Structures are given as C-alpha cells and as structure tokens.
Amino acid sequence: MSSTQQSSSTKKQTLFIASLIILWYSSNIGVLLLNKFLLSNYGFRFPIFLTMCHMSACAFLSYVSIVFMKLVPLQPIKSRPQFLKIATLSVVLCGSVVGGNISLRYLPVSFNQAVGATTPFFTALFAYFMTFKREAWVTYAALVPVVAGVVIASGGEPGFHWFGFIMCLSATAARAFKSVLQGILLSSEGEKLNSMNLLLYMSPIAVLVLVPAVLIMEPNVLEVILSLGKQHRYMWLLLFINSTMAYSANLSNFLVTKHTSALTLQVLGNAKGAVAVVISILLFKNPVTVVGIGGYTMTVLGVVAYGEAKRRFR
C-alpha cells in the first residue's frame, strides 16, 4: 500500500471515530437534556412512563439492528439460569434509570451530573464487598475528592432538593451495582454477552417490569399525555426523538468502546459530563455558585485521578 493510500485510510478512520464520538456526545447529552425538559419544563411528570418509552425503543431498535441490519452478531441465550441472570440485571437497570429520571424533576442537570460522577466510588465499594476485589490504597485515596466534591457541591447548590438528591444518589448506586453484578453473574465465557445483545434481552424484560409500575404509580398518564399532545403539537415528536436517542446513546457507547482505547473512553467520558453541565446551564439558566462549581470540579478531578491510579496500579 502506498503512503498516499495509507494517509487516506488513516484520515477516513479518524473521521469515522470523530463521527462516532460526536454521535455519542450528542445522544447522551441530548437524551439527558430532553429528559429534563420534558419532566421539569414541559409538564410531562411521568418518569416511569418515560423510562418505559426508552426501553420500548431500545427493545425494537436493538432487534432491528441485530436481527435485520446485523450490526453485531446475535448471541442467543443458552440456558434458563442465564436468562434469570439477565432478568435480574434488567430489574436493577429499571431502578437506576427510573431513579435518574425522577431526580431530574427536582434537580438541575448540572447537580445531577455532579452526583452521577460518583459512580466510581460506588463501583469500588460494591466490588470490595461483593467480590472481595482489593485495589491499591492510592486508588481508594483518589475517591476521597470524588465524594468530598459532591458534599461541597450540595452545600453550594441553590436548587438542592433532598428527595431529588436521594433519588439521584440511589440511581448512581444502582448503576454501579449493576456493573459489578453483571461482572459476577455473566462471568463465564459461555454466558458473556456484548452490551448490544445484553440490551436486546434486557429492554423487553424492563418494559414488562415497568408496565405494571406505570399502571399502579402513574394511572392517569395516558389521559394527561393526550391532553398535553393537544396543547403542544411537538410533544409526540419530542417523545419519539427522546426515546430514539436513548437507544442511540447505547449504540454509540458500544461503537466508541469498540473503536477507541479504554483510556480514550475514560477521558471522553469525563469531558462529556462537563460539556453536559455547561450546555444545561446555558439552556435552562439554572443559578450556579462558585462553591457548586468548585465541588463539581473537585469530583471530576477525583474521577480522573481514580482512573489514572487504577490504570497504573492494576
């Protein structure tokens, strides 16, 4: 291959990865901001139904992507125990997503992201007690500013709401718990699934779990949604885009993970939270304080230090 062809191939690869990263950022940040807009600013106060819409879209689009478009090979479920493990993970996923959506009704996106950045702390905690996995003391020390930053940000958050904070913290803990639990339950080579196949099986189960939850906890959802649909002609379009973005966020995360290194993914992930915070403040104009910004900055730096320490002292 000539140097010109190599250069052209490298440019195409770089452009492809850059496009994936833009899709990943826009999908993740877009679904977060649309969730906030629908739940807080639009009168759509049904976080469980919204989560059910997301999971329904993920179930349908996962099936189309894997079975028809063959973006990734289909990995069949091989046993009843494997199915029960996937169902358990699906229930935990429901709790995490619903908790995060509920918190957006009460908290600004900026503070929601600050609390969400503590995921490594909960992951390390669950890994310690559930798998007895020990890290170097330097790694655990890096988690101190992660927690301290959220404590500081909480004190400096003008829009602080206790219930919203508890739901956000619970959602973050559930997300970390699912990550550790997934490593335990699907540890054997015969049971491991890539993230897209796991989503294919988890999302329909999640819908089945969420339907009775909606009927019990949000019984008037259809009546209110139909009323909102008449008042706001773009509501159904926003709900469709929001649900599609929820799937796109999962797909782009899988593709970025596949085509970049773990370190690149870690750096991009940390930057994504900061970008979401800046955009949300510009869009929703929620008041921020120097103390709040300082706390969030400390948390992000702690997450960066934790990732670096984990990489060096693996």
Side-chain angles (χ1 to χ4, degrees):
M1 187 184 288
S2 68
S3 59
T4 307
Q5 287 176 315
Q6 282 184 331
S7 176
S8 176
S9 177
T10 304
K11 283 180 181 177
K12 285 181 181 176
Q13 180 70 5
T14 305
L15 187 63
F16 174 67
I17 292 172
S19 301
L20 285 181
I21 293 168
I22 291 168
L23 176 66
W24 184 44
Y25 266 48
S26 56
S27 299
N28 277 270
I29 296 171
V31 76
L32 178 68
L33 297 178
L34 263 178
N35 283 352
K36 176 64 178 175
F37 180 70
L38 286 167
L39 293 166
S40 292
N41 299 57
Y42 209 71
F44 185 94
R45 304 187 182 282
F46 302 103
I48 303 175
F49 180 80
L50 183 63
T51 306
M52 191 182 78
C53 291
H54 289 177
M55 292 302 163
S56 300
C58 286
F60 174 72
L61 293 172
S62 292
Y63 187 81
V64 171
S65 299
I66 294 174
V67 176
F68 291 104
M69 296 176 68
K70 302 189 185 302
L71 290 181
V72 293
L74 176 66
Q75 296 174 289
I77 295 177
K78 297 178 180 177
S79 64
R80 180 183 171 85
Q82 186 187 18
F83 172 77
L84 292 174
K85 290 172 182 178
I86 292 169
T88 303
L89 289 172
S90 186
V91 172
V92 177
L93 175 68
C94 282
S96 172
V97 179
V98 168
N101 285 339
I102 291 174
S103 74
L104 284 170
R105 277 192 61 187
Y106 302 95
L107 298 175
V109 172
S110 51
F111 186 60
N112 176 280
Q113 288 295 286
V115 177
T118 61
T119 302
F121 167 76
F122 288 106
T123 304
L125 196 69
F126 286 128
Y128 186 90
F129 288 108
M130 291 169 66
T131 67
F132 305 106
K133 183 183 177 183
R134 306 290 184 266
E135 303 281 0
W137 69 268
V138 178
T139 308
Y140 289 120
L143 290 170
V144 174
V146 173
V147 178
V150 169
V151 173
I152 293 168
S154 301
E157 175 53 54
F160 184 82
H161 189 285
W162 268 110
F163 179 69
F165 175 69
I166 290 167
M167 291 309 298
C168 191
L169 204 62
S170 301
T172 304
R175 189 161 56 244
F177 179 68
K178 176 191 164 289
S179 175
V180 176
L181 191 64
Q182 184 174 323
I184 297 170
L185 295 182
L186 302 178
S187 57
S188 67
E189 285 301 320
E191 291 185 332
K192 280 184 180 176
L193 298 170
N194 63 46
S195 61
M196 295 314 299
N197 274 274
L198 192 57
L199 185 67
L200 171 68
Y201 297 122
M202 283 200 305
S203 44
I205 298 170
V207 173
L208 293 176
V209 171
L210 291 166
V211 166
V214 169
L215 293 174
I216 294 167
M217 301 176 74
E218 298 174 347
N220 63 332
V221 60
L222 288 178
E223 181 187 337
V224 176
I225 286 177
L226 289 171
S227 175
L228 281 172
K230 290 175 183 176
Q231 295 173 38
H232 309 283
R233 59 176 179 169
Y234 294 116
M235 196 208 71
W236 294 107
L237 179 62
L238 287 175
L239 199 57
F240 173 77
I241 292 170
N242 183 243
S243 300
T244 306
M245 275 185 168
Y247 173 73
S248 177
N250 284 285
L251 175 63
S252 54
N253 184 69
F254 170 76
L255 293 172
V256 170
T257 305
K258 183 180 177 181
H259 291 281
T260 63
S261 67
L263 181 60
T264 304
L265 192 70
Q266 181 188 316
V267 172
L268 290 171
N270 293 331
K272 179 167 60 68
V275 172
V277 167
V278 172
I279 294 174
S280 72
I281 291 170
L282 292 173
L283 279 179
F284 297 110
K285 297 182 169 46
N286 56 285
V288 290
T289 63
V290 175
V291 174
I293 293 170
Y296 178 66
T297 303
M298 182 184 288
T299 295
V300 172
L301 291 175
V303 171
V304 172
Y306 171 76
E308 184 63 21
K310 200 171 180 183
R311 189 174 67 85
R312 289 193 179 192
F313 297 96
R314 190 183 295 273

